[in-house]
Amino acid sequence: MAAETLVSLLAGEPCRFSAWVAMPEPLVAEASARAGFDCVTLDMQHGLHDPASVMRCIGAVALAGKPAVVRIPVGDFAMASRALDMGAAAVIAPMINSVADAHAFARAMKYPPIGERSWGPVRAMQLAGATDPVAYLRGANGQTLAFAMIETREAMALVDEILAVQGIDGIFVGPSDLSIALANGGSVDPLRADNVEAIGAILAAVKAAGKFAATYAITGAQARGYAALGFDLVAIGSDGGYLRAGASAMLAEAGAQ
Amino acid sequence: MAAETLVSLLAGEPCRFSAWVAMPEPLVAEASARAGFDCVTLDMQHGLHDPASVMRCIGAVALAGKPAVVRIPVGDFAMASRALDMGAAAVIAPMINSVADAHAFARAMKYPPIGERSWGPVRAMQLAGATDPVAYLRGANGQTLAFAMIETREAMALVDEILAVQGIDGIFVGPSDLSIALANGGSVDPLRADNVEAIGAILAAVKAAGKFAATYAITGAQARGYAALGFDLVAIGSDGGYLRAGASAMLAEAGAQ
Amino acid sequence: MAAETLVSLLAGEPCRFSAWVAMPEPLVAEASARAGFDCVTLDMQHGLHDPASVMRCIGAVALAGKPAVVRIPVGDFAMASRALDMGAAAVIAPMINSVADAHAFARAMKYPPIGERSWGPVRAMQLAGATDPVAYLRGANGQTLAFAMIETREAMALVDEILAVQGIDGIFVGPSDLSIALANGGSVDPLRADNVEAIGAILAAVKAAGKFAATYAITGAQARGYAALGFDLVAIGSDGGYLRAGASAMLAEAGAQ
Amino acid sequence: MAAETLVSLLAGEPCRFSAWVAMPEPLVAEASARAGFDCVTLDMQHGLHDPASVMRCIGAVALAGKPAVVRIPVGDFAMASRALDMGAAAVIAPMINSVADAHAFARAMKYPPIGERSWGPVRAMQLAGATDPVAYLRGANGQTLAFAMIETREAMALVDEILAVQGIDGIFVGPSDLSIALANGGSVDPLRADNVEAIGAILAAVKAAGKFAATYAITGAQARGYAALGFDLVAIGSDGGYLRAGASAMLAEAGAQ
Amino acid sequence: MAAETLVSLLAGEPCRFSAWVAMPEPLVAEASARAGFDCVTLDMQHGLHDPASVMRCIGAVALAGKPAVVRIPVGDFAMASRALDMGAAAVIAPMINSVADAHAFARAMKYPPIGERSWGPVRAMQLAGATDPVAYLRGANGQTLAFAMIETREAMALVDEILAVQGIDGIFVGPSDLSIALANGGSVDPLRADNVEAIGAILAAVKAAGKFAATYAITGAQARGYAALGFDLVAIGSDGGYLRAGASAMLAEAGAQ
Amino acid sequence: MAAETLVSLLAGEPCRFSAWVAMPEPLVAEASARAGFDCVTLDMQHGLHDPASVMRCIGAVALAGKPAVVRIPVGDFAMASRALDMGAAAVIAPMINSVADAHAFARAMKYPPIGERSWGPVRAMQLAGATDPVAYLRGANGQTLAFAMIETREAMALVDEILAVQGIDGIFVGPSDLSIALANGGSVDPLRADNVEAIGAILAAVKAAGKFAATYAITGAQARGYAALGFDLVAIGSDGGYLRAGASAMLAEAGAQ
Ligand SMILES: [Mg+2]
Ligand SMILES: [Mg+2]
Ligand SMILES: [Mg+2]
Ligand SMILES: [Mg+2]
Ligand SMILES: [Mg+2]
Ligand SMILES: [Mg+2]
């Protein structure tokens, strides 16, 4: 249904923006897709999604003609394969803190010989309008993207090794967790100077490796900054945040006290 | 759970504002309640609510400490009673086009001797923290509000008679349908001069009758206008609209093209 | 699945007892069915059921080998037909306050020539293990029961006429609403002397007409009393009440303060 | 999303076929839409749909690029309006047994000045990709179809009068109920000679009135027959029947005993 | 509820056939169970099931009197235990590629001393009509079956060792993944000669070990072939496939173009 | 919403009692919370909860003003973090059989520097009325409790080492599994003498370590016994058990045979 695939969107200019959806409701995912974002990310880690809502919401996002991205729970690589079977265009895996984590993620995301993704893309083929299994098998590894999250000191130290893992298509920087890690748990502040510097270093490594760089911005202004730095994809805010911001603006306009 | 009841909110100054929720998802209703509105209206007529979602969403609004209002489908007065049993603080009935309609609505909303509401408020008492059935029976007619929608030429002509029906606590003007009616189906435009004039006439009648006046505004600016006219309660926009407005603002801030 | 049909259960001695289920959850309905009741009533009027939950819960009750009864919202006779199509063994219609109400209810409950129930019992036949449409058509009017609720002064005055309506199989007395009606809205008390007397008079009329007499008891002791009076079916308490009573007993046993 | 609207499909040759879906599951509706039917009918009368499932399933059918039709419960004309607001391309109303029934149905289906459909097509416009409210208002009466079911002796006698009601776009013949009515409740058999003759007479009346003729066929062979007679739209079988037929064929092929 | 247990079905002749259900809808699972299959498999790996739908669907399959089988996601052995607690008669674990995988699966499936399944079979006992905990504890290891999937080169090389693991009751061959593995990712074709040969070798090993042999067939004809080879259980097609096949046959019969 | 936090409840006298909820229905969780328990435990291991129901039920328990506890599936530590993000006051992890298990559990439960819990407590902060992220970050490790289950011989042998793991706040003894382990699979009986002795030894170790001791009681009488022994928190029975007990008592009172 999607007019343009996520891969082709990210391959070009300019920076693309993703909605960030925590509520497990297809109408919310669909409304987010229709609101002007390039794609919609469904969050299973800190958001309220589960496999059932992910499946329903990928369909709802497809109805709005946009690709869907899924962030899985920590270490649930079986879910990475399932998200692809459900029609996700990309998967974000949090807390990839070792090369072994990266390999496990890549194995779940890619068909042989790169990985060990198991065969069964009935729903994904249906949503993509694909009918030839062998063509799908041969194309899937290039069309569905694996984003490894870098958000700890250990991961930062291994960023080049993680980027070198075949099947990892890009890095998704986690600014909040990274800021906690750099502060040894003392604070959370994505905009702290040391954190901004670390994000820049990771971005440089990703660019050097020729892979996709993505991250998360709490506000539109932050997103503009990440885009200016050269990120390919930036997720912004959250569904609850969009709703609250829009409601607040209307209430202010109404003169509510 | 609600710190203040809807009746006490409306009895005072200033104009109160309601969220308008079409999506049948408790988290959306709860987020709308937390966004600064005085209450939350769940729309079963043109929105996507059904009895199950209304029940779940009233609980979610209560969790946020706000009263919930339910707009029922046209003529479904059994649902008016059920909404009260589910804990709604008020019910809006669309298309009250005759005195008979108003009587039927009032009968469903009020316990004897005013009406014929049937006994069974287990959930409503639970949410209200009420434990004495007889006290609830005697207080309910005064604590739960019946809003009759005036939105056709027939209804306008009968507004005083409808206001005179015992058990009708207020009028909810439907600006869009009224504008279609006045244009004989030719256009929909709540801000058209004849429509604005008609709304003013209805408002005057409600004030003269000493009952509550409520209406619906598409934008915050319209809501401010209705408040200035003297409406007691104005519903604004919709959940989908809040989300879209907030997302658009963030995307603009991000520099999305 | 049901070892014995509701009709055969009610035709014999002794008084039968129904669970009363307000929560729209199949596991609750199934647990109630397994707890020793003869059948399970799903309440759409004051309970939290809707068509979807009724359909799911009838299946859950069938899994436990018991017949299901559905109380519909006031005046929603289309739902009476649908409940039968979903496999209900009986339907209780609240607020049958006129002979016209009784006729409308009977029409929805019975196939021609008695009524105008429309054809489409796919689910009901499946749950009953029936495979011959003509046999089902000819047997259904006798196997599915229509209970008209008598719970107002008007209804009491018409009880013989309502009992005379072809297709009405029994009366379900509503003690709480009746007590409110007799007190003109001043109190609710099923055990008040005038109410007890009125219930007795209705029961006598039902017995004289040779139809089934059913009612609702808040406690087991009340149910024992109704059984002793000669009622054929008595619904007791509610799912929430069973849970609270069982929990309280365990907490007391535990020594909770 | 639909490549072709239902109106344009029915305006042309040949006879169109609708899936008939009783299960309230979007994936079933979507699978039925993808299986080759021209449109998908969601049945609320004898099927297991409710407002929530209708809303979800209309989206699922749209995702497969097909128009959705909704059969409402008997007399629930408020649901007719709501189905249109949810994006249905047509509504089938069962048991239209009087001219008053036909008028009530038409009023709910058409905007003024033909009817009294109330304004609020947010979801319908979204699914249709429509953005101009006035254009939608002016076009809707011509784009969404009202099918009145003729399935009793009374209705047959009034077929010309019902066809003459402005806002009724077509007739949907109910063969099973008609056969019961003609047999005075003694049997159900759509293929009985008197029933076939009656269906032919109704079809002739519809053709003479220049409106759409639709009906329901239990089997493909029956559907072929109705198409040959000149029906514009024929619904076939049911989702459960498709599944059973396909499973049986596979089991037979497998040699299951 | 099941007239015959899965163990007794598989112990005898002839080959048994399982439905394969991907849609997370109890009515679909129940309809599949009623369509003539010996049991119903609910697929969590490539199908759209999650724990909630598995629980609901096991009840629905029980209502139809059949045993349910669950295929869990890759490596989710905690779900294997939960599926048994929910009443599954067997669990299929995909991608058992090492002896350690087999041991982990067996540990989750069997109570001590064979494994480490944790105690809590309330729902399973309820569905089985079991009331004696100690009897259930002692019988469960023999009544619930663990099927390890062999579908990679590594697994093939270890088939005898995997079969030797105590608690593994049988092998479920995965023909599609095996064909991808043998082609090093170049194609998917279960009927390719090398794949057919490999399946035969695995089957021989299972027979030699005296355990159950199961597999998956895309078509009825393939299933007949596997049955002729000596497999004890063959799953066929999918719910979506049954529906599509049945619909296509009816549309062809109708003369749809 | 909770008047008192779980930590403050457990810090004081007397022993606290938790409801045990297996049914994935918010109304059941809410009813259990209102029935007099100090908190409500939602069971994902042997109960029928999944992430979606846990999220909904935590809200329902909060609506009743009580803290919620979640028991996760075996080894699903990602779910431990998610339960905290959903607003759980404590998490119980079954089958902590090694120090490595305890460390993995603690890492998921605690923010740095104690653990590696990832940042994203939007829902938890909302339910707690918290608005300052840094304050939440610094307070969370002390306000949300990690209970490790000791229920095997291996775990018993390691109880002091497990108690010494930073981030483990208490032990939850699993009496049934422990009794199976001690009997090498031969029986299940929490009240067996060797089991009672083992429970006493574990309790002594917990007390010596100054951490919280919790366990599960099948009956109120058992719970009283555990409280007398010195346990800080005892979960009692189950939702299905409360319902059955309450229903049985009412049926007995009614004279049901
Ligand atoms: Mg993070
Ligand atoms: Mg209106
Ligand atoms: Mg009553
Ligand atoms: Mg019909
Ligand atoms: Mg496989
Ligand atoms: Mg245990």
Side-chain angles (χ1 to χ4, degrees), chain C residues 1-2 8 13 25 29 36-37 53 61 83 132 139 189 218 241 248 254:
Chain C
M1 293 292 132
S8 66
E13 296 295 333
E25 164 55 56
F37 293 99
S53 66
V61 172
D132 177 349
D189 179 2
I218 297 173
S248 295

Side-chain angles (χ1 to χ4, degrees), chain D residues 145-168:
Chain D
L145 301 177
F147 282 97
M149 286 194 76
I150 301 291
E151 48 186 339
T152 62
R153 288 174 183 268
E154 302 88 308
M156 272 191 68
L158 291 166
V159 68
D160 292 327
E161 287 84 344
I162 290 169
L163 279 160
V165 170
Q166 194 183 14
I168 299 297

Side-chain angles (χ1 to χ4, degrees), chain B residues 50-52 55-56 78 82 85-86 111-113 116-121 123 133-134 137-138, chain C residues 24 44-50 73-74 95 97 151 154 176-177 180-181 184-188:
Chain B
D50 71 338
M55 183 270 288
R56 301 289 182 194
R82 293 166 75 194
D85 286 346
M86 290 171 181
Y111 285 117
E116 302 175 358
R117 182 180 166 194
S118 171
W119 181 256
R123 179 79 182 143
V134 173
L137 173 68
R138 291 177 182 166
Chain C
M44 302 183 77
Q45 184 195 15
H46 297 299
L48 305 172
H49 279 283
D50 71 338
V74 174
M95 291 284 165
N97 291 334
E151 48 185 341
E154 303 88 309
S176 291
D177 274 316
I180 293 174
N184 299 314
S187 81
V188 54

Side-chain angles (χ1 to χ4, degrees), chain E residues 20-152:
Chain E
W20 194 262
V21 172
M23 296 183 194
E25 164 56 57
L27 291 165
V28 169
E30 185 184 333
S32 298
R34 292 187 193 281
F37 293 99
D38 297 298
C39 60
V40 174
T41 302
L42 308 167
D43 184 16
M44 302 183 78
Q45 183 195 15
H46 298 299
L48 306 172
H49 278 282
D50 71 339
S53 67
V54 163
M55 184 269 288
R56 301 290 183 193
C57 288
I58 290 175
V61 171
L63 181 58
K66 297 285 172 65
V69 179
V70 174
R71 182 164 72 172
I72 57 174
V74 175
D76 190 353
F77 301 124
M79 185 66 222
S81 300
R82 293 166 74 195
L84 297 183
D85 285 347
M86 291 170 180
V91 174
I92 302 168
M95 291 284 165
I96 299 298
N97 292 333
S98 69
V99 175
D101 288 347
H103 275 295
F105 178 39
R107 273 199 302 274
M109 289 290 290
K110 304 294 174 182
Y111 285 117
I114 297 176
E116 303 174 358
R117 182 180 166 194
S118 170
W119 182 254
V122 175
R123 180 76 181 146
M125 289 180 65
Q126 204 168 51
L127 290 174
T131 54
D132 177 350
V134 173
Y136 183 86
L137 172 68
R138 292 179 182 166
N141 286 355
Q143 284 299 314
T144 52
L145 300 177
F147 282 97
M149 287 193 76
I150 300 292
E151 47 184 341
T152 62

Side-chain angles (χ1 to χ4, degrees), chain E residues 142-217:
Chain E
Q143 284 299 314
T144 52
L145 300 177
F147 282 97
M149 287 193 76
I150 300 292
E151 47 184 341
T152 62
R153 287 175 184 269
E154 301 89 309
M156 271 190 68
L158 291 166
V159 67
D160 291 327
E161 287 85 343
I162 290 169
L163 279 160
V165 170
Q166 193 184 14
I168 299 296
D169 300 296
I171 294 297
F172 191 103
V173 181
S176 292
D177 274 316
L178 190 59
S179 80
I180 292 175
L182 294 180
N184 298 316
S187 82
V188 54
D189 179 3
L191 301 181
R192 220 176 43 221
D194 61 339
N195 205 52
V196 170
E197 187 180 343
I199 293 171
I202 299 169
L203 176 61
V206 181
K207 291 289 175 186
K211 296 198 166 178
F212 292 121
T215 193
Y216 175 83

Side-chain angles (χ1 to χ4, degrees), chain B residues 45-46 71 94-95 149 151 174 177, chain D residues 118-119:
Chain B
Q45 183 195 15
H46 298 299
R71 181 162 74 171
M95 291 285 165
M149 286 194 75
E151 48 186 342
D177 274 317
Chain D
S118 171
W119 181 255

